[in-house]
Amino acid sequence: MNGTANTYDLIVIGAGPAGLAAAVEAWNRGLKKILIVERAKEAGGILMQCIHNGFGLHYFKEELTGPEYAERFITMVDKTGIEIKLDTMVLDITSRKQVHMVNTKDGYQILEAKTIVLAMGCRERTRGAIGIPGTRPAGIYTAGTAQRLLNIEGYMPGTRILILGSGDIGLIMARRLTLEGAKVLACVELLPFSGGLTRNIVQCLNDFDIPLYLSHTITEIKGDKRVTGAVVMQLDGSRKPVPGTEMEFDCDTILLSVGLIPENELTKKADIRMDPRTKGAIVYENRETSVPGIFACGNAVHVHDLVDFVTEEGQLAGAGAAAYVQAGTKDGQTVELINGNDVGYTVPQHVRPEQMGDSTGIYFRVKSVHKEPCFISIKSGTAEIARLKRDHMAPGEMERISLTRDQLQNTTGKVSVSIEEGGTK
């Protein structure tokens, strides 16, 4: 560090819900020279185009729209001395905590920080990422792009819509487009279960009589200059099309809601260890990455269902960043979290009991649907340290459990999270 005016206590990359929460938390914990860098022209992130309600039920204990939720945190930032650079693109970060950025006002800058929080959010998978056969006509959008076109720009993407994938954005757009007068023909899902929240399936599909075809996919897109139709087929257990199951849809628009991926280019440039399951950084309980003093949170680490949990992770990262500047990273016992039966991933991947509070939250997703009561079993070796009952679990709904410091300190250094069906306790 050169100790110049260009050195910040904390630089937060991203002014979405995770980044805003991290910056406010760090400010409240004593850091006063904080900079938020955002590539968009306004703070708030993806929430600004999510005009539907359903946000804030956990954190604010009331139902808000996306812009209303974002505005709460933008107001919190405005009441502090936190700086924000909008319309600014971060080009690179280094393990030495140098942030390379550019905008039209300041030009190219290299700023230094004592600590960094990565809160870049996530992006949508595109048609190219999933390899749909056919030509390249107009009328194919990711669900998020269609959402921005309709809610921010004021354009209807089409009139007869077919949706591929059942992620939450696609489900919400099925309802939104119907309310605007479009005909949503169907939602087509490759897997035998939906990738979205149950409440969105009920409120966005069932309430509007929009069919959901599970174990189906688009096998052909028709049209040259503009989409004119699509062929949908049922899939067998090996995800191969079943001959004779063709359904042809007369549509002018196809929306892709086929999954989200953490924005991780900057994370990789800083030589941070990545998790191939989440596609995000490997983090500790305070969201510190493998590079001391660089933290990551929210959808840049793993894709969330609820913004309330994104906020919680942002606050963990902000608190961790403040503690790092004030006291550094302390050595001590590290417990590794292991995926057990039917668990796809856990976040955090490592926990340091001596550095956590009385308890820490563990996020994870299951690999399959559990419609009957089942149990989350947390074990250290053969000893079960916690057992929690769930009536229903599905891959589209992230699970959160809490483990105490005492539970994690008395372990072999590895703790597994597994799902067990049946039983009475």
Side-chain angles (χ1 to χ4, degrees):
M1 296 295 169
N2 58 23
T4 68
N6 283 343
T7 300
Y8 287 84
D9 289 335
L10 167 64
I11 294 179
V12 178
I13 302 175
L20 295 172
V24 170
E25 186 70 17
W27 175 274
N28 291 338
R29 289 177 180 261
L31 299 192
K32 297 307 176 188
K33 193 167 185 185
I34 300 173
L35 171 66
I36 304 174
V37 185
E38 170 57 50
R39 66 185 177 188
K41 296 182 184 296
E42 61 182 3
I46 198 67
L47 289 178
M48 304 310 286
Q49 68 185 52
C50 299
I51 64 174
H52 54 280
N53 59 12
F55 300 91
L57 291 171
H58 291 266
Y59 189 81
F60 290 110
K61 308 303 180 187
E62 59 181 305
E63 195 170 37
L64 305 170
T65 66
E68 287 173 334
Y69 189 101
E71 188 63 31
R72 297 275 179 102
F73 277 93
I74 292 170
T75 300
M76 292 180 201
V77 170
D78 289 343
K79 292 179 179 178
T80 70
I82 296 170
E83 299 178 48
I84 301 186
K85 286 183 180 289
L86 299 174
D87 200 16
T88 301
M89 177 65 73
V90 175
L91 304 174
D92 193 12
I93 63 172
T94 71
S95 57
R96 295 173 55 197
K97 305 181 189 68
Q98 294 176 322
V99 182
H100 297 240
M101 63 187 73
V102 65
N103 62 31
T104 56
K105 179 182 177 182
D106 305 310
Y108 189 96
Q109 287 186 302
I110 302 175
L111 303 181
E112 295 187 341
K114 297 176 183 177
T115 184
I116 294 172
V117 170
L118 305 175
M120 296 85 64
C122 59
R123 65 178 185 269
E124 295 178 281
R125 284 191 175 92
T126 63
R127 178 184 177 182
I130 59 175
I132 301 175
T135 55
R136 297 171 62 90
I140 303 174
Y141 305 90
T142 63
T145 298
Q147 186 181 56
R148 180 171 182 86
L149 284 173
L150 185 57
N151 294 346
I152 302 295
E153 310 295 341
Y155 296 106
M156 278 288 284
T159 58
R160 293 180 62 81
I161 318 290
L162 181 64
I163 300 176
L164 177 63
S166 59
D168 287 309
I169 303 175
L171 298 176
I172 288 164
M173 285 308 295
R175 174 179 62 186
R176 183 78 178 92
L177 287 160
T178 300
L179 293 173
E180 287 295 331
K183 175 64 176 177
V184 179
L185 304 173
C187 185
V188 180
E189 172 57 55
L190 174 79
L191 297 172
F193 50 81
S194 171
L197 294 171
T198 300
R199 75 180 188 194
N200 285 333
I201 297 170
V202 173
Q203 296 174 3
C204 301
L205 296 185
N206 297 351
D207 287 356
F208 293 90
D209 295 323
I210 298 171
L212 171 61
Y213 294 101
L214 300 175
S215 296
H216 283 72
T217 194
I218 294 175
T219 56
E220 183 182 357
I221 294 175
K222 297 188 174 185
D224 181 17
K225 296 185 182 300
R226 174 84 193 193
V227 172
T228 59
V231 177
V232 171
M233 294 182 68
Q234 185 178 344
L235 304 177
D236 62 19
S238 301
R239 296 186 187 173
K240 293 182 180 180
V242 178
T245 63
E246 294 87 351
M247 294 186 292
E248 188 162 338
F249 289 89
D250 175 18
C251 58
D252 60 21
T253 304
I254 293 173
L255 299 191
L256 306 179
S257 182
V258 291
L260 302 167
I261 308 170
E263 287 276 14
N264 53 31
E265 287 76 17
L266 293 175
T267 311
K268 291 177 179 177
K269 285 185 176 182
D271 295 324
I272 290 169
R273 288 182 59 208
M274 306 294 293
D275 189 327
R277 301 161 301 184
T278 61
K279 311 300 182 185
I282 293 174
V283 294
Y284 291 91
E285 74 294 329
N286 62 353
R287 298 313 183 261
E288 189 172 21
T289 68
S290 59
V291 176
I294 298 183
F295 297 76
C297 58
N299 287 338
V301 175
H302 63 127
V303 176
H304 292 63
D305 313 319
L306 303 176
V307 70
D308 310 74
F309 291 158
V310 169
T311 295
E312 180 181 71
E313 282 204 332
Q315 291 173 324
L316 285 171
Y324 178 84
V325 172
Q326 294 157 355
T329 299
K330 300 176 182 178
D331 294 328
Q333 177 195 12
T334 297
V335 177
E336 181 181 2
L337 292 172
I338 305 294
N339 297 345
N341 179 59
D342 203 47
V343 173
Y345 72 81
T346 62
V347 171
Q349 292 86 349
H350 300 97
V351 176
R352 297 167 293 198
E354 296 171 12
Q355 296 196 43
M356 59 180 269
D358 294 333
S359 64
T360 190
I362 307 296
Y363 299 95
F364 68 92
R365 287 186 188 270
V366 295
K367 295 180 180 179
S368 59
V369 175
H370 298 266
K371 295 183 178 180
E372 301 296 331
C374 55
F375 295 89
I376 304 167
S377 176
I378 298 93
K379 292 182 178 180
S380 174
T382 58
E384 188 170 64
I385 61 175
R387 188 173 181 84
L388 303 165
K389 184 179 179 181
R390 292 288 190 274
D391 292 326
H392 169 84
M393 287 194 291
E397 300 181 18
M398 190 169 65
E399 297 290 330
R400 183 190 184 281
I401 60 175
S402 290
L403 297 178
T404 68
R405 186 194 301 115
D406 290 341
Q407 287 173 323
L408 291 167
Q409 281 180 325
N410 301 318
T411 67
T412 61
K414 292 186 177 182
V415 169
S416 66
V417 181
S418 300
I419 307 303
E420 296 180 1
E421 292 189 346
T424 58
K425 65 178 181 177

